[in-house]
Amino acid sequence: MLAQRPPMGWNTWNTFGKDINETLIRESADAFIDNGLKDAGYEYLVIDDCWSEYNRDPVTDRIVPHHEKFPNGMKVVADYVHSKGLKFGMYSCDGVRTCADYPGSFDHEFLDAQTFAEFGVDYLKYDNCYKPNNADGPSLYRRMAMALRASGREILFSACNWGTDDVWTWIRGAGAHMYRSTGDINDSAESYRNIALSQADKFGYSAPGCYNDIDMLTVGMYGKGLVGSVGCNDADYRSQFALWCMYSAPLMLGCDIRHMNKQTLELVTDGSYCYEPGFALLSYVESEMTGLEGVVTSFRIEDGQTVTLRRTGKVNAEMVFDRRQAHESLYDVGFGAMMISVVTEDMTVLLNEHGGVLDLDYRVEVEHALCSRNRYHIEIQTI
């Protein structure tokens, strides 16, 4: 089964937008290996919008790779990506044009799916622009899902309809393996925090086989690239990465992976670094069950600190208190969160599976994250 765990990879859009070509893809595939991304569990290299000519081939009616960006054709590019032990992803749209005004797949689903299969595609991101006003959105995604299954090649289907049509209620049955439920992210703390809060009521719609995609990461962009915006600092990137991990969201990097600095590389591949005094350290190790969601949800600070995880499986967690963080207050923005904990004399807490949503008055930072093994150690620091 595809997507037994949240897919991990890299997408061109956040940094490069339309400025993509064969050289960039080859260099990025090399960077997957050289930087240890493949060993850390990242496997999909995805070309987003703007890869094709502006019009279909007038004879075959097929989408054609741009002759200047990809002069050797897309099969050659896919073969190079596969030679690195990686999987190759591409982009299309359920409308007549893509979001950047290139040919979409509306009314060409089966032809395009066959074309992607012949290219050697392993992953298709399917956007939601320029569809006819009378078109039924769910039907369009079901149609492409059927076309991909009929193509003769196993292709992960990434449905990107931005959360319209209550997508979380039907997209698994439609055949998608991940689904976008948000608008586009930009490289700012406000953006990733708003996204995290907006998805707090969707926990029950993400599990092995189909995951809630809360958009590509901006970790390591530092305000550069297409969605650079105001940029973030390293603490914000640790917070964002922790949130994506805890939501069991697909981890699709969006920075220029050829030029990641030491802090970014450590965060996205191993995440080990020293935490500062005064942090309360929460660590949990997931059981043999994979792909379960866990979110830091609510905080009770009395003679120490209690942090609750929401779990979709019976997985306990452990937190060691730091008395220097003690305050008389209760923070809970959950939806009927239930905090179950056992406080011992050495101020250790065992946390069970219930909870609500993240209170973003607190900064969440990753101390250790081996995402390919679903194991995280999280730090909580009062802002």
Side-chain angles (χ1 to χ4, degrees):
M1 180 179 71
L2 287 174
Q4 295 186 51
R5 295 181 178 181
M8 298 169 62
W10 173 75
N11 182 293
T12 60
W13 185 257
N14 280 3
T15 293
F16 298 102
K18 65 181 179 59
D19 298 323
I20 53 176
N21 55 49
E22 181 177 334
T23 299
L24 170 65
I25 302 308
R26 287 177 176 268
E27 291 177 354
S28 298
D30 293 341
F32 260 83
I33 308 305
D34 296 342
N35 291 330
L37 294 175
K38 180 177 181 293
D39 291 338
Y42 297 87
E43 58 179 341
Y44 290 100
L45 191 160
V46 181
I47 299 174
D48 209 285
D49 205 349
C50 309
W51 60 267
S52 74
E53 296 285 2
Y54 282 102
N55 295 293
R56 291 177 175 270
D57 184 287
V59 177
T60 66
D61 208 24
R62 290 182 181 244
I63 301 179
V64 180
H66 195 279
H67 67 283
E68 293 180 351
K69 296 177 180 180
F70 300 99
N72 297 306
M74 208 55 78
K75 181 66 165 64
V76 170
V77 178
D79 287 346
Y80 187 81
V81 172
H82 291 150
S83 74
K84 300 293 181 178
L86 302 170
K87 296 179 180 179
F88 180 59
M90 293 188 68
Y91 167 100
S92 190
C93 187
D94 65 358
V96 295
R97 306 291 289 181
T98 70
C99 297
D101 199 26
Y102 290 80
S105 290
F106 179 81
D107 206 28
H108 293 77
E109 290 86 355
F110 285 83
L111 177 62
D112 289 353
Q114 188 60 47
T115 299
F116 295 138
E118 292 172 3
F119 286 163
V121 166
D122 306 294
Y123 174 117
L124 179 67
K125 176 181 174 181
Y126 203 51
D127 222 331
N128 193 37
C129 290
Y130 296 113
K131 63 178 183 284
N133 292 333
N134 61 349
D136 178 69
S139 295
L140 296 182
Y141 279 92
R142 291 188 175 96
R143 189 185 303 171
M144 178 53 83
M146 289 189 292
L148 293 175
R149 289 195 295 269
S151 72
R153 184 175 181 85
E154 191 173 64
I155 299 175
L156 187 148
F157 186 28
S158 173
C160 181
N161 88 331
W162 326 316
T164 62
D165 299 314
D166 293 336
V167 61
W168 49 90
T169 64
W170 53 266
I171 195 63
R172 176 184 291 270
H177 302 98
M178 52 190 278
Y179 65 94
R180 267 281 294 284
S181 54
T182 73
D184 290 349
I185 196 170
N186 64 64
D187 189 19
S188 70
E190 180 182 16
S191 178
Y192 80 74
R193 291 172 181 175
N194 287 342
I195 284 175
L197 284 173
S198 75
Q199 296 307 296
D201 60 345
K202 306 298 188 300
F203 294 137
Y205 299 97
S206 188
C210 186
Y211 291 94
N212 185 358
D213 174 16
I214 55 178
D215 208 357
M216 298 164 286
L217 291 157
T218 62
V219 170
M221 290 186 63
Y222 298 103
K224 300 177 182 177
L226 181 68
V227 302
S229 187
V230 298
C232 291
N233 58 34
D234 288 331
D236 285 320
Y237 288 141
R238 292 193 296 270
S239 298
Q240 181 187 155
F241 193 77
L243 285 166
W244 264 235
C245 290
M246 291 187 296
Y247 272 66
S248 288
L251 298 179
M252 302 301 293
L253 301 175
C255 65
D256 186 348
I257 59 174
R258 302 171 302 171
H259 304 296
M260 291 187 292
N261 63 17
K262 180 175 182 290
Q263 291 82 358
T264 300
L265 187 57
E266 285 183 349
L267 175 59
V268 303
T269 59
D270 182 68
S272 292
Y273 44 82
C274 295
Y275 59 92
E276 298 175 3
F279 278 39
L281 176 63
L282 164 69
S283 65
Y284 71 87
V285 179
E286 192 158 340
S287 70
E288 294 180 357
M289 299 177 67
T290 60
L292 301 176
E293 292 184 356
V295 173
V296 179
T297 60
S298 57
F299 303 90
R300 191 203 308 274
I301 308 173
E302 292 175 348
D303 189 24
Q305 188 178 50
T306 297
V307 181
T308 305
L309 291 182
R310 177 194 182 279
R311 305 298 301 173
T312 54
K314 293 182 178 179
V315 182
N316 289 342
E318 180 178 290
M319 189 187 84
V320 179
F321 284 92
D322 185 333
R323 291 178 182 271
R324 289 170 295 180
Q325 292 288 334
H327 298 284
E328 290 289 334
S329 56
L330 172 65
Y331 301 86
D332 188 352
V333 294
F335 48 96
M338 182 184 299
M339 303 199 322
I340 302 177
S341 60
V342 178
V343 182
T344 63
E345 291 182 358
D346 63 355
M347 299 305 293
T348 296
V349 171
L350 297 179
L351 306 172
N352 213 323
E353 70 238 44
H354 303 285
V357 300
L358 179 68
D359 182 341
L360 287 175
D361 286 340
Y362 284 77
R363 187 182 300 280
V364 182
E365 304 195 32
V366 173
E367 186 272 327
H368 194 77
L370 294 175
C371 300
S372 59
R373 301 179 186 177
N374 283 337
R375 185 173 70 196
Y376 323 112
H377 299 254
I378 308 299
E379 302 168 23
I380 311 297
Q381 180 189 29
T382 304
I383 296 178

